[in-house]
Amino acid sequence: MFLPVLLKTDLLLFLLLLIVMVAALYVRRRAHLMKSWLEIVRRPMAASSLIVLIFFVAIAFLDSLHLRLAVENTAAQRQNYYSTEVVSVFDLLATSIREQTEKTYSAPFALHLFVKETIEDNKGGSERGYPRLQYGGRHLETIADRPLDVMQRLGVAFIKAFAIGFFLLIVFLGCQARRQRTSITASWQYSFSAASIVPWKTVMVTLAVFLLLLMCTLELAPYYHILGTDKVGNDVFYQAMKSIRTALLIGTLTTLIMLPFAVFTGLTAGYLRGRIDDLIQYLYTTLSSVPGVLLIASSVLLLQVYIEGHPEAFQSDAERADLRLLFLCIILGITSWTGLCRLLRGETMKLSSVDFVQAATAFGVRPLRILLRHLLPNVMHIVLITVVLDFSGLVLAEAVLSYVGVGVDPSMHSWGNMINSARLEMSREPMVWWSLFAAFLFMFVLVLAANLFSDVVRDVFDPRRRR
Amino acid sequence: MPSEAVAATALLEVKGLSTHFSAGDEGIVRAVDDVSFSIHRGETFALLGESGCGKSMTSLSLMRLLPDNGHIVKGDIWLDGMNLMDLSEVGMRRLRGRRMAMIFQEPMTSLNPVLTVGEQIAEVVRLHRALKGGAQRACVLELLAAVGIPEPQRRYGEFPHQLSGGMKQRVMIAIALAGEPDLLIADEPTTALDVTIQAQVLDLLRRLQSETGMALLLITHDLGVVAEMADRVAVMYAGQLIEQASRKDFFAHPQHPYSSRLFAALPTVNKRSQVLTTIPGQVPPLTTPFSGCRFAERCPHVWSTCRQSVPAWHTLANDQQVRCHLLVDENAKHRQDISTATARVATASLAVDDNVSPLLDVQDLKVHFPIQKGLLQRTVGHVFAVDGVDIRLSKGRTLALVGESGCGKTTIGKAILQLLRPTSGRVLFEGDELTQLKGEELRQRRRDFQIIFQDPFSSMNPRMRVAQIIEEGIQALVPDYDAANRQQQVLALLEQVGLPAAAAQRYPHEFSGGQRQRICIARALAVSPRLLICDEPTSALDISVQAQILNLLKELQQKRGLSYLFITHNLAVVAYLADDIAVMYLGRIVEQGKVTDILHAPRHPYTQALLSAIPVIEKEAGHAVIRLEGDLPSPSNPPSGCHFHARCPQAMPRCQESYPGKTLIASGHEVRCFLYSEDKPSL
């Protein structure tokens, strides 16, 4: 069978998801917060970015359920032995493309390798040429069959997508109709009219696009390398999908790690002032005047030395890579809390002279309680806005750091590593463009969705916008 | 409707103006609904109304400066024979500033902080008079001199932050005058200013009007200002004009039930022993489609017709126009006889008993804020916010602390509560020295004294329910109450301040200003304090709501024997509520005594000037206004000797040299002025 493996970052990710769920329950019970969030969902742009983000999170979640498969064991052995390779549920789902490794580079949808090799033909002779790929398009006779085959598969994908989509739509409308006690046609008309509270039209279109892309991928990926292969023949599409988890972890765990610290220091500095304020200010001014990249580089190198010096502390490569990822999150957190802390300090200073805080002081409410009940809820909008705005910055920062070589472990899939390994091939003629393109495409979609979503969040929660 | 003859000569004539706003989910806000009036040259026309009744929107509609979500749906605006509704935006721009100009309520935000005063006026001069170079500068200086700014040469190059509020409002007036307008629209021009400065600005407006012959549309909520300034008055209620009359007629016999009840709600000395008349309920939201009279829900005379049909204009013999069904003769039977004066059961406050030590005894209280500068934050000076104040307050009495903004009244309140730690001096509460209490001891003692703030909008945490807000004090200070006990207490308190029990589960933003102030009072009462510091609790409220709060405060004082330290600049409220008055000027108390002594026989020149500067409705014979020159000096650099000598009309050489000691005028009436120290024994 299998042995579940809980990596440190998995644990933190599950913790984060739990926090989000608890927060969602909390929001449901607070009318004013619920109203703001409903307002966010009502904006078509936010609704469709949210769907994109949820899709990414789902992939990352599947990719975080790690396990070690049991090795085929003989009946005589009582004890189970497990493979040293840690795989995730996502890996298992994508086994077909994960294991179809070629020799080296191949272009998207290619049938042949990208480089010339000496090929032995049946008659024993040899010639220089582009050998056929081991897996990509192996069901085809010649390259001339490819367009028709691709078209056929796309056609099947379209039909499947349409059928599934139609089925889901009917189920959705049926549920809606039952809930509102109307007919299906009436709920159709209502859901897609401007009167509907949730912009179902946008949601549906986004979901339809996703469904279509998903079906096309499912049809094509087992037979072709849809985004080509890299230097050692790994499927680029698979790499790009695996990188989602890395990017999301960097974007969210960093925040999770630095948030309590930034909120606590910001609030205490702003509320208590005096010496404590001086100390915290000194701390963050010093920290923000150290060049962040250098600090990160030196810390990551230090960690690397530690990892290499203590091989016995890690059971698998995955754990080593995971520790480095976690450490990167921590060090990114340490360099990025200052901005939020500064914002919170200023806002808290402003709030503590507002009458309701003064009134609480006059009631003899204890300082900690004032911080938690009066100040914290009133600065939460700043925290939220900063978190969503920072997210895309951190995803991009990971790419840059990995490119420079101080990011995540080279064995870990990440867009930064993909770009890094592809950079030398840019000068090739013809160019190997697909690794770069894939990393760029995925990163672009994620960052764009995050930015659009954070714009709306800022819009809705910014108190200056309201009268 | 104005008669044809009048319309022919009117400078501005507004006919059936309606302005609507789209307010998203809430529908359409009918901010201005079928408003018609006319203004003649050289006339002052006052538009009177409470907040949110649409008066500012009327003025913005006249200038066609409405925000994006608002538009004029109906009506004509004729300015000197020209219909403004036909003009293009370009044409309107040419007209603004030149034919009609506007000054706003808040002088702090209507000037650009990065341009000098001279440049800002010059900009308008260049635009409207096409002057350049020296002529332009001369013109600006002339304008500065015209609005009474001393040393115009120097002020020309100064930035707005270097000027005081009154000066800024003068600059705004100068800008408005630069285009030599025929009509000046003044939107609450003095609301943000102190009374002595208000008197200066109103004086200036009157003088300029008589010099230039321009018409003035004065928008205000202050009956006193109307009484001082207006030729004709129009009362606005919920987007509609409900009464128009000359000033004399309006003040002599207001006809609309709303107008007459506004007068009844004004606190005065004569009503001390009465419960103030209030107008129940609140202004209906302007999103309601009205089918009858807008005032019907709050009117004491209301009958079925009022709810069914909108009253038409009814013109009386003296040209006074009223929108009310009551004035149609056959409806006279519906007029209820409402005696506005309801006697109070127990009238007098508790008498002072000299043998008992006072509840609160503040001795030589000083609060100085250090001014820090430079890299090392060295202290280079002090703001002498409160500089040696003595006050005594006995159980069950009300002491009013009166003074202009910036004189240190609020600082005293906070220093007594130990929200600010005093620099020196003693605060004795029932003989206990509060300034020496620390930590837990002070926390326990906080049960006994509470505060009500000026702004009911910022004094409650917007994220907490009303019940949580009221409970908080009990939780912190009366820990032996359990949840059920607390809830009971909350409901009892809500009932005491006149709010329904359902209010407990709602959030503060769902309440109006007056209701919020009630919640604040309930919150303060929750820990059963004995001293309540009221920091301008009614200055953010409308007259009718103010009366409700004052009634509540008075009632609570009688029921619970509370002592109030009432911090305010509104002397009318003081006259109604207080037993004793302390008048403050620049961190020091200049005069102190019983309310009747101070109001009827003020001794200190500052008290005299302050009292005379208040616009009054009933002008008594011989009411001469003492105009104070200049502004309140900075408390970081107070004048030597008597702080008031620089502005005092009766200053003597020795006033500059030393600060006068206390002089006892009568029992409990003390003044610090050299005018009285020679013939009276100094204490």
Side-chain angles (χ1 to χ4, degrees), chain A residues 29-32 354-356 358-366 369 373-374 377-378 381, chain B residues 414 419 440 443 446 450 453 458-464 468 472-473 475-477 507 523:
Chain A
R29 287 175 38 211
R30 299 288 182 291
H32 63 275
V354 171
D355 290 344
F356 68 82
Q358 296 266 319
T361 317
F363 278 119
V365 179
R366 291 191 170 83
R369 214 175 146 76
R373 262 187 98 162
H374 292 284
N378 284 295
H381 65 279
Chain B
K414 290 192 173 164
L419 291 176
E440 194 58 21
R443 222 175 62 77
R446 287 195 184 282
Q450 280 304 322
F453 292 96
S458 71
S459 54
M460 281 182 283
N461 187 343
R463 310 251 186 253
M464 279 161 70
Q468 291 174 306
E472 184 161 50
Q475 248 169 336
L477 295 175
Y507 286 95
R523 171 175 69 174

Side-chain angles (χ1 to χ4, degrees), chain B residues 641-642 652-659 674 677-678:
Chain B
C642 172
M652 300 175 287
R654 64 183 291 203
C655 294
Q656 288 185 34
E657 287 152 19
S658 62
Y659 192 66
F674 285 123
S677 66
E678 279 140 342

Side-chain angles (χ1 to χ4, degrees), chain A residues 88-108:
Chain A
S88 68
V89 171
F90 174 76
D91 289 334
L92 296 179
L93 290 175
T95 305
S96 60
I97 52 174
R98 180 166 63 107
E99 288 176 349
Q100 293 180 355
T101 50
E102 308 291 344
K103 228 169 168 184
T104 182
Y105 290 115
S106 69

Side-chain angles (χ1 to χ4, degrees), chain A residues 26 29-33 35-36 42 278 351 353-367 369-370 372-382 461 463 466-467, chain B residues 23 25 414 417-419 440 443-444 446-447 449-451 453-455 457-465 468-477 507 509 523-527:
Chain A
Y26 180 84
R29 287 175 38 211
R30 299 288 182 291
H32 63 275
L33 292 175
K35 196 169 153 244
S36 297
R42 284 183 69 170
D278 288 348
L351 278 177
S353 57
V354 171
D355 290 344
F356 68 82
V357 180
Q358 296 266 319
T361 317
F363 278 119
V365 179
R366 291 191 170 83
R369 214 175 146 76
I370 291 185
L372 291 181
R373 262 187 98 162
H374 292 284
L375 295 174
L376 186 61
N378 284 295
V379 297
M380 268 327 265
H381 65 279
I382 296 186
F461 281 95
R466 280 176 265 175
R467 271 172 296 158
Chain B
D25 303 340
K414 290 192 173 164
L417 290 175
Q418 305 301 311
L419 291 176
E440 194 58 21
R443 222 175 62 77
Q444 290 303 330
R446 287 195 184 282
R447 274 193 77 160
F449 35 91
Q450 280 304 322
I451 183 165
F453 292 96
Q454 169 174 9
D455 181 4
F457 293 84
S458 71
S459 54
M460 281 182 283
N461 187 343
R463 310 251 186 253
M464 279 161 70
R465 289 173 198 278
Q468 291 174 306
I469 290 170
I470 298 177
E471 253 180 16
E472 184 161 50
I474 313 177
Q475 248 169 336
L477 295 175
Y507 286 95
H509 67 87
R523 171 175 69 174
L525 293 178
V527 293

